[in-house]
Amino acid sequence: MAVNNGISIKAIFSDAEEAEKNDDNKKAIDLYKSIIDQDRLNIPAYEKLMKLFRRSKEYKKELAIIKQGIKSYEAYYKMHKPKHSKAVDTISS
C-alpha cells in the first residue's frame, strides 16, 4: 500500500468515504483523485469517482475517469506484456 506524506491510501480512502457520508462530494472527489495520483491502478477509487460523478450528473467527468482508468491499465499491461516467440505472436495476430 502506497504512502504519501505519511498517510496511507487506506487512510485516505477512509477519509473519502467519511466525506461521502457527510455529503461533502467535492472533498471525497479530491481524496479519491489523490489516491489515483498515488496508485494509478486503484480500482475502488475509480469506481467511487465514477459513482460520484454519475450521481451528480457530471457525465463528461465520469467518462474522463473511465478513459483515465483504461489508459492506466493499458499502459500497465503494455509494460508487463509477456514476451512470446515470433511464432506465437504471428498466430495471435
Side-chain angles (χ1 to χ4, degrees):
M1 187 156 298
V3 177
N4 188 15
N5 296 330
I7 302 172
S8 71
I9 287 177
K10 187 175 180 179
I12 297 170
F13 204 89
S14 178
D15 290 346
E17 287 181 324
E18 188 65 32
E20 273 188 86
K21 288 178 187 174
N22 295 328
D23 291 324
D24 190 353
N25 290 341
K26 182 178 178 355
K27 181 178 179 181
I29 287 169
D30 290 341
L31 289 168
Y32 289 128
K33 284 182 177 181
S34 74
I35 291 170
I36 290 173
D37 289 342
Q38 293 178 51
D39 178 10
R40 293 242 178 248
L41 305 178
N42 192 298
I43 293 172
Y46 283 110
E47 290 174 342
K48 292 285 194 170
L49 279 170
M50 289 185 290
K51 288 177 185 175
L52 284 169
F53 287 135
R54 190 175 314 126
R55 266 191 251 144
S56 61
K57 297 184 183 197
E58 296 182 74
Y59 303 117
K60 288 182 181 181
K61 289 182 180 181
E62 179 186 5
L63 181 59
I65 289 298
I66 292 168
K67 287 180 179 181
Q68 180 183 351
I70 290 170
K71 187 176 178 180
S72 295
Y73 271 88
E74 284 176 340
Y76 173 81
Y77 285 112
K78 189 174 186 177
M79 281 180 37
H80 295 88
K81 182 178 170 183
K83 302 292 181 195
H84 299 287
S85 68
K86 186 175 181 180
V88 171
D89 287 338
T90 302
I91 292 170
S92 295
S93 62

